[in-house]
Amino acid sequence: MHAPVALRPSLRTRLFGSAGNGLATLVLGGLLLALLVPMLHWGLWRAHWSGDALACAGGGACWAVVAEKYRLILFGRYPFEAHWRPLLASLLLLAMLVASCRAWLRGTPLRAGRWATAWAAVLLAGWLMMRGGVAGLALVETDRWGGLPLTLLLATVSSALAFPLAVLLALGRQSALPAVRAACTVTIELVRGVPLVSVLFVASFMLPLLLPAGFTVDVLLRVLAGITLFAAAYMAEVVRGGLQAVPAGQRLAAQSLGMGYWQVQRNVVLPQALSAVLPALMNNFIAIFKDTSLVTIVSLYELTGALDLALNADALWRPYKLEGYLFIALVYFGFCLALSRTSERIAQRGARTTGAARA
């Protein structure tokens, strides 16, 4: 009851605290209103929600294109009658992500071995379910995978594989051995110094030229390796920041108890370092999730590329790509919002845990 009253002085100070602030508020508010009303008029009031392409010719947004093409947009070129397979694989991945986040937020002890085994089982089950060739499932080659399941697969698998590599690179960059430190530093800076597009081109087109004659690697695996290396380089710097936040005295105290290097890192340093940078690692995952849209340039049609496949071949629906892209933007926004909220809750829980420990 008192919240709106309490907010009024603050809003008045921020929006109309001076003549300049008041003028800026009025101008920006007017511009926003001038843009918002036509957008609502086009996207809601005059929109077409069902029917064929001819019914959308009267103006307004044609959301009927989503109702007509949503399966092609979400699943790409995957066989229509087998769409339940990528759907189930995506649900498994999402369930594992939710279970991992909820377990950490509730303070459930996370035994690394058990969670690694569970993740490996889920990823293997999802891969076999989508590829088939076992248990009576028809074989579907990876070049026919696409849509949202491919986006989730690339983001999740690359991040899961990149994490242990990032930890090793971060530890190596702080190593007392000059050769190890130099190798890790060069690897991180070299990968971070080029865009992901160039990494995908190397993995997709140049790597096969370096392989022995007659030996080939699936394009999806090559792209996955490129994204994993790219993600690991960025994660390594995040992990290194967490390592630097751990006081050196704790390392010395652990060494004085007779612990070896790896015992110190596993039992003392890494738990604190990773807890401190979990929100940053989540942000890194969000960035990788969005960057998977670049794989379209190497003929892997994830969510964004699947839209082009769905509409380019149909001249009637092709003029309504904007509505399709807005639908895809909404999907990305929903996933990224959920991940960012989870990251925020993780940060809050970490701050409470740190405060309680200090008290």
Side-chain angles (χ1 to χ4, degrees):
M1 293 296 293
H2 299 286
V5 177
L7 286 175
R8 287 174 186 171
S10 177
L11 291 176
R12 187 182 300 113
T13 301
R14 294 180 181 181
L15 301 180
F16 301 97
S18 64
N21 285 350
L23 179 62
T25 298
L26 293 176
V27 171
L28 293 177
L31 290 175
L32 180 62
L33 187 62
L35 291 174
L36 186 60
V37 171
M39 288 178 62
L40 291 176
H41 191 66
W42 172 81
L44 294 179
W45 300 331
R46 295 182 58 196
H48 302 274
W49 300 93
S50 61
D52 55 16
L54 298 178
C56 297
C62 183
W63 301 117
V65 66
V66 178
E68 178 70 21
K69 300 289 187 179
Y70 76 97
R71 291 186 67 167
L72 292 175
I73 296 173
L74 292 179
F75 300 109
R77 294 185 296 179
Y78 205 90
F80 190 85
E81 69 279 359
H83 279 177
W84 65 270
R85 289 163 54 181
L87 175 61
L88 187 56
S90 300
L91 292 177
L92 282 175
L93 283 177
L94 293 176
M96 194 64 195
L97 279 172
V98 172
S100 300
C101 293
R102 289 178 65 87
W104 198 93
L105 287 170
R106 291 179 176 179
T108 304
L110 298 179
R111 295 179 175 85
R114 294 184 179 180
W115 280 103
T117 302
W119 267 106
V122 168
L123 293 176
L124 179 61
W127 180 276
L128 293 177
M129 194 172 301
M130 291 189 64
R131 192 173 191 275
V134 295
L137 298 176
L139 180 65
V140 179
E141 298 294 341
T142 56
D143 59 355
R144 301 189 66 185
W145 299 10
L148 183 59
L150 182 60
T151 298
L152 292 174
L153 179 70
L154 288 172
T156 305
V157 175
S158 62
S159 297
L161 296 177
F163 179 72
L165 180 58
V167 172
L168 293 177
L169 287 173
L171 292 175
R173 191 162 185 175
Q174 290 191 326
S175 174
L177 301 176
V180 175
R181 185 171 63 252
C184 293
T185 301
V186 169
T187 301
I188 292 172
E189 296 302 332
L190 180 63
V191 176
R192 279 164 49 91
V194 296
L196 179 57
V197 173
S198 62
V199 176
L200 294 176
F201 267 110
V202 170
S204 182
F205 300 117
M206 294 186 63
L207 184 59
L209 301 178
L210 304 177
L211 297 176
F215 182 79
T216 59
V217 179
D218 190 277
V219 63
L220 178 58
L221 296 180
R222 299 199 303 268
V223 168
L224 188 60
I227 298 177
T228 298
L229 182 61
F230 188 82
Y234 279 87
M235 282 187 186
E237 289 299 276
V238 174
V239 175
R240 187 166 70 94
L243 294 175
Q244 292 176 342
V246 179
Q250 297 196 20
R251 295 183 177 89
L252 297 176
Q255 292 172 358
S256 67
L257 295 175
M259 291 186 179
Y261 174 81
W262 291 109
Q263 287 180 315
V264 172
Q265 299 300 329
R266 177 181 178 182
N267 299 319
V268 178
V269 177
L270 284 176
Q272 299 180 70
L274 296 179
S275 295
V277 298
L278 270 175
L281 290 175
M282 183 68 77
N283 291 338
N284 193 275
F285 177 74
I286 293 174
I288 293 298
F289 176 74
K290 293 185 293 185
D291 286 344
T292 55
S293 59
L294 296 174
V295 301
T296 304
I297 64 174
V298 293
S299 301
L300 287 177
Y301 298 100
E302 42 67 62
L303 188 59
T304 306
L307 173 66
D308 292 331
L309 288 177
L311 299 185
N312 285 343
D314 194 333
L316 291 176
W317 292 106
R318 196 180 304 158
Y320 306 108
K321 272 191 176 182
L322 176 59
E323 289 85 345
Y325 279 119
L326 289 175
F327 170 70
I328 291 176
L330 183 62
V331 174
Y332 274 108
F333 175 77
F335 276 99
C336 293
L337 178 63
L339 291 171
S340 63
R341 291 291 185 181
T342 302
S343 175
E344 183 180 352
R345 293 179 61 189
I346 287 175
Q348 293 173 352
R349 184 183 182 280
R352 290 196 300 268
T353 303
T354 303
R358 289 178 178 176

